[in-house]
C-alpha cells in the first residue's frame, strides 16, 4: 500500500517504520489540502492530524484511497459521509491520556497539600525553615468527583490508594461502578457540601459552562480545594477569584483556565500550527489567578507525557496494520 503521512514532525516518524517493510511510506510536515492533493493522488492510506482537509473536494482526487487514519480522537475534519459512500474506512485514536490526566490531578493536589512549590522555592534560596509550610493529609478526606467517565474513574482509583473517601456526581450515573471503584454517587448539591476536594471531569458544553459559579461556591465547605483538568470555562473564573479571596476556597490547582484558546483536543497543543497561532504564555501571564500564592496553574499540560503521545502514534500504526490485515479497528466511519 502507498501510505502518505501528513503533519508529522521528524520525531514522530520513527513509529511508522514498523510499516516500512511491507508498505511504501511518505511523510510530510504539511497538512493535506486541495492545493497539494495532486502530489498524493495515488495514496491508498492517508494518516493526518486535524489541520488536514478531508472534504469531498480533496477526497474526490484520491481515487485509490481506502483508509483515513486520523491521529486524533475527533474526526470532524473528515467528510465521513463521502467516506461511507465510497467505502473508505476512517479510524481514530479513541483515548490516549486517561491515566495521564488522572495522575496530573494528583500532581496538582499533592503540590497544594504539601506546599511543594513554596517549599522547593525556599530551599533553592538556601532557606530551610518550616514556617508557613504546614500542609494537610489526603487520607480520610472526601474527594468529590464531577463526571465519572474515563478520567474521573481513573482519578477515583488513585484516590482510593490514598485512602480518601470518594463521592461522585454524573448526569448519567452507572451504579455498577460504585462497588467496583469504591465510591458513592450523590446529587450535585450534596457533593458540593461534603467534599474537601472537588475535581472536575466533565466535557465543556451548554450544561457544564459555569458549572461552578457563585451559588455553587457558597454551598461548599469552607476551605475546599478545587482541581480542574477538564476545561477552563466549567468554572466561572470571577466566582472562583471571589471564593479564593474570601477563603471559601483554600486553594486551586488548574490545568485549564477560561481564557485559553479553544482546544478541540489535547494533542493539538503540541502541534506547530497551534503554537504559531496562539501564545499560551501571554494568555496565562495576563491572568490574575497566576499571581495568587494558593493557586497553581499548569499550561494545559496534563495529557503531555511521552507515554501518552507515543500511544497516539502506536494506535495509529496499529489502526493501519489492522486495516491492511483485513481486520480494521477503531473504525469511526466507512467500516
Ligand atoms: P468521558 O466522556 O469519558 O467522561 C465524561 C463524563 O462526564 C461522562 O461520564 C458524562 O456522563 C459526564 N457528564 C457530562 N455532562 C455532565 C454534567 N453536566 N454533569 C455531570 N456529569 C456530566 O471523558 P473523559 O475522557 O473522562 O474526559 C473528561 C474531560 O477531561 C474531557 O471532556 C476534556 O474536556 C478533559 N480532558 C482534559 C485533558 C487535559 O490535558 N487537561 C486531557 C483529556 C481530556
Amino acid at each position: 500500500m502507498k501510505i502518505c503521512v501528513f503533519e508529522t514532525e521528524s520525531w514522530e516518524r520513527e513509529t511508522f517504520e514498523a510499516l516500512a517493510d511491507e508498505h511504501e511510506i511518505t511523510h510530510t510536515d504539511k497538512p493535506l489540502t486541495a492545493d497539494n492533493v495532486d502530489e498524493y493522488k495515488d495514496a491508498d492510506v492517508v494518516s493526518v492530524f486535524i489541520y488536514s482537509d478531508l472534504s469531498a473536494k480533496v477526497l474526490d482526487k484520491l481515487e485509490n484511497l481506502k483508509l483515513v487514519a486520523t491521529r486524533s480522537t475527533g474526526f470532524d475534519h473528515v467528510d465521513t459521509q463521502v467516506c461511507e459512500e465510497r467505502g473508505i474506512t476512517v479510524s481514530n485514536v479513541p483515548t490516549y491520556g486517561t491515566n495521564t490526566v488522572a495522575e496530573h490531578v494528583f500532581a496538582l493536589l499533592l503540590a497544594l497539600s504539601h506546599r511543594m512549590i513554596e517549599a522547593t522555592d525556599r530551599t533553592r534560596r538556601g532557606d530551610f525553615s518550616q514556617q508557613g509550610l504546614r500542609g494537610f493529609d489526603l487520607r480520610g478526606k472526601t474527594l468529590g468527583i464531577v463526571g465519572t467517565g474515563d478520567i474521573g474513574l481513573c482519578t477515583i482509583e488513585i484516590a482510593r490508594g490514598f485512602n480518601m473517601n470518594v463521592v461522585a456526581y454524573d448526569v448519567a450515573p452507572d451504579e455498577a461502578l460504585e462497588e467496583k471503584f469504591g465510591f458513592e454517587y450523590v446529587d450535585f448539591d450534596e457533593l458540593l457540601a461534603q467534599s474537601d476536594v472537588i475535581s472536575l471531569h466533565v466535557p465543556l458544553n451548554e450544561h457544564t459552562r459555569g458549572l461552578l459559579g457563585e451559588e455553587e461556591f457558597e454551598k461548599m465547605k469552607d476551605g475546599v480545594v478545587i482541581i480542574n483538568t477538564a476545561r477552563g470555562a466549567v468554572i466561572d473564573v470571577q466566582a472562583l477569584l471571589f471564593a479564593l479571596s474570601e477563603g471559601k476556597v483554600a486553594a486551586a490547582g488548574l490545568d485549564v483556565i477560561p481564557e485559553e484558546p479553544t482546544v478541540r483536543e489535547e494533542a493539538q497543543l503540541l502541534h506547530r500550527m497551534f503554537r504559531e497561532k496562539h501564545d499560551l504564555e501571554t494568555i496565562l501571564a495576563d491572568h490574575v489567578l497566576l499571581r495568587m500564592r494558593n493557586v497553581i496553574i499548569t499550561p494545559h499540560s496534563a495529557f503531555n507525557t511521552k507515554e501518552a503521545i507515543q500511544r497516539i502514534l502506536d494506535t495509529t500504526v496499529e489502526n493501519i496494520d489492522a486495516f491492511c490485515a483485513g481486520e480494521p479497528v477503531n473504525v469511526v466511519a466507512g467500516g
Side-chain angles (χ1 to χ4, degrees):
M1 297 256 196
K2 176 150 191 188
I3 301 171
C4 298
V5 186
F6 296 86
E7 307 177 71
T8 45
E9 293 177 18
S10 49
W11 62 270
E12 295 176 282
R13 295 178 184 179
E14 199 181 309
T15 307
F16 287 87
E17 285 303 304
L19 300 166
D21 283 348
E22 291 180 39
H23 306 283
E24 184 191 333
I25 304 175
T26 52
H27 285 277
T28 168
D29 59 354
K30 308 255 171 350
L32 174 62
T33 64
D35 291 335
N36 66 11
V37 63
D38 287 334
E39 289 172 48
Y40 306 99
K41 63 180 187 310
D42 50 352
D44 298 294
V45 174
V46 295
S47 176
V48 296
F49 191 54
I50 60 170
Y51 297 107
S52 281
D53 174 2
L54 287 142
S55 60
K57 194 166 79 173
V58 174
L59 288 167
D60 282 351
K61 299 246 174 116
L62 299 166
E63 287 179 8
N64 296 342
L65 191 63
K66 299 166 186 66
L67 173 69
V68 175
T70 186
R71 299 191 304 284
S72 55
T73 305
F75 48 89
D76 51 357
H77 51 300
V78 184
D79 188 330
T80 49
Q81 200 182 330
V82 170
C83 291
E84 293 283 355
E85 284 162 14
R86 282 197 32 210
I88 298 167
T89 300
V90 182
S91 65
N92 77 338
V93 181
T95 60
Y96 50 87
T98 302
N99 68 290
T100 310
V101 177
E103 288 174 24
H104 198 85
V105 169
F106 279 85
L108 292 169
L109 183 52
L110 288 164
L112 291 168
S113 69
H114 280 261
R115 310 194 72 147
M116 216 45 117
I117 312 281
E118 290 152 279
T120 50
D121 275 354
R122 193 175 289 194
T123 56
R124 283 213 176 102
R125 292 196 309 267
D127 175 355
F128 283 76
S129 67
Q130 290 281 344
Q131 210 176 6
L133 287 186
R134 185 157 303 141
F136 60 90
D137 283 355
L138 298 186
R139 187 185 184 94
K141 295 282 162 40
T142 298
L143 171 66
I145 293 284
V146 184
T148 53
D150 293 331
I151 297 172
L153 288 175
C154 200
T155 306
I156 293 173
E157 283 185 305
I158 299 173
R160 298 294 294 138
F162 280 94
N163 282 307
M164 298 184 85
N165 307 314
V166 183
V167 293
Y169 168 73
D170 197 295
V171 271
D174 175 356
E175 267 85 24
L177 298 171
E178 286 179 307
E179 203 182 316
K180 187 170 172 207
F181 288 86
F183 71 94
E184 186 193 349
Y185 277 117
V186 292
D187 69 32
F188 190 46
D189 281 357
E190 269 181 82
L191 181 143
L192 299 177
Q194 288 181 22
S195 303
D196 300 298
V197 179
I198 295 175
S199 187
L200 301 174
H201 302 287
V202 289
L204 177 63
N205 58 36
E206 54 179 312
H207 305 292
T208 60
R209 186 176 293 277
L211 188 69
L212 297 190
E214 212 173 307
E215 258 180 56
E216 289 71 28
F217 284 115
E218 268 169 31
K219 292 176 185 164
M220 293 177 195
K221 274 188 179 176
D222 289 341
V224 65
V225 173
I226 304 291
I227 306 289
N228 190 9
T229 56
R231 285 290 181 270
V234 176
I235 299 182
D236 172 342
V237 74
Q238 308 248 0
L240 174 63
L241 278 170
F242 183 70
L244 280 160
S245 68
E246 294 277 285
K248 171 59 96 176
V249 172
L254 311 174
D255 185 49
V256 285
I257 55 167
E259 277 71 16
E260 267 187 297
T262 306
V263 175
R264 281 156 75 186
E265 65 176 84
E266 276 62 30
Q268 192 183 357
L269 291 163
L270 298 178
H271 203 271
R272 181 173 45 83
M273 289 180 74
F274 186 88
R275 291 199 300 269
E276 280 168 9
K277 283 190 198 151
H278 304 286
D279 179 2
L280 277 181
E281 207 178 348
T282 309
I283 295 159
L284 284 172
D286 282 349
H287 212 284
V288 61
L289 284 171
L290 198 61
R291 290 188 272 274
M292 300 182 83
R293 292 190 71 76
N294 50 348
V295 176
I296 51 177
I297 296 178
T298 48
H300 204 142
S301 58
F303 73 101
N304 191 2
T305 62
K306 60 179 194 279
E307 290 84 359
I309 304 315
Q310 189 60 46
R311 275 193 288 274
I312 297 178
L313 298 168
D314 290 342
T315 303
T316 302
V317 168
E318 278 161 30
N319 288 349
I320 297 172
D321 210 22
F323 176 83
C324 294
E327 291 176 2
V329 292
N330 297 322
V331 173
V332 289

